[in-house]
């Protein structure tokens, strides 16, 4: 059996067959999109249900929901601002709860000794 190579055009649109129309190619350039905005929703839910120090958990949850709404509406800058506020409030809640726990432990230790 003999192997023989035939000349086949690599781009069939460059030499259309009789009665066939030539097809044009379209190139789409997709730019890298910005990373998605993190709205810290689960962290806010956790702080709302478990820590909610001076209602800051509720406020953080409100900012997280606003951030999610802005992201869905297509306003990335507004979503980032609300998300950063929610993050700051969640960090403040964590710090205040930790300080409160430390103060309670020290107070109990001082009273019992």
């Amino acid at each position: 059996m003999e192997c023989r190579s035939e000349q086949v055009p690599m781009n069939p649109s460059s030499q259309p067959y009789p009665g066939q129309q030539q097809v044009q190619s379209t190139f789409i350039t997709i730019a890298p999109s910005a990373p998605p905005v993190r709205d810290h929703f689960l962290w806010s839910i956790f702080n709302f249900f478990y820590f909610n120090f001076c209602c800051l958990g509720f406020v953080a949850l409100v900012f997280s929901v606003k951030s999610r709404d802005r992201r869905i509406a297509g306003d990335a800058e507004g979503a980032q601002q609300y998300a950063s506020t929610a993050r700051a409030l969640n960090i403040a809640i964590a710090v205040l709860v930790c300080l409160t726990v430390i103060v309670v432990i020290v107070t109990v230790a001082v009273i019992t000794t």
Side-chain angles (χ1 to χ4, degrees), residues 32-40 67 71 76 79-80 83:
S33 62
V37 177
R38 297 183 62 188
D39 55 9
H40 307 289
S67 173
R71 184 181 66 194
Q80 183 62 44

Side-chain angles (χ1 to χ4, degrees), residues 20-96:
Q20 185 181 16
Q21 293 180 353
Q22 190 170 3
V23 179
Q24 293 182 353
S25 298
T26 303
F27 294 100
I28 299 174
T29 304
I30 300 175
S33 62
V37 177
R38 297 183 62 188
D39 55 9
H40 307 289
F41 185 71
L42 293 178
W43 191 10
S44 298
I45 288 284
F46 179 81
N47 283 339
F48 175 67
F49 283 117
Y50 293 108
F51 295 146
N52 206 13
F53 192 84
C54 296
C55 293
L56 285 178
F58 176 71
V59 176
L61 181 63
V62 167
F63 277 100
S64 294
V65 171
K66 283 184 176 185
S67 173
R68 186 168 282 192
D69 289 344
R70 292 283 90 206
R71 184 181 66 194
I72 291 172
D75 181 15
E77 186 177 327
Q80 183 62 44
Q81 289 176 351
Y82 283 128
S84 64
T85 304
R87 181 176 181 258
L89 288 171
N90 284 322
I91 291 172
I93 293 166
V95 168
L96 289 173

Side-chain angles (χ1 to χ4, degrees), residues 100-113:
T100 303
V101 168
I102 290 171
V103 167
V104 167
I105 289 173
V106 168
T107 304
V108 169
V110 168
I111 290 175
T112 57
T113 58

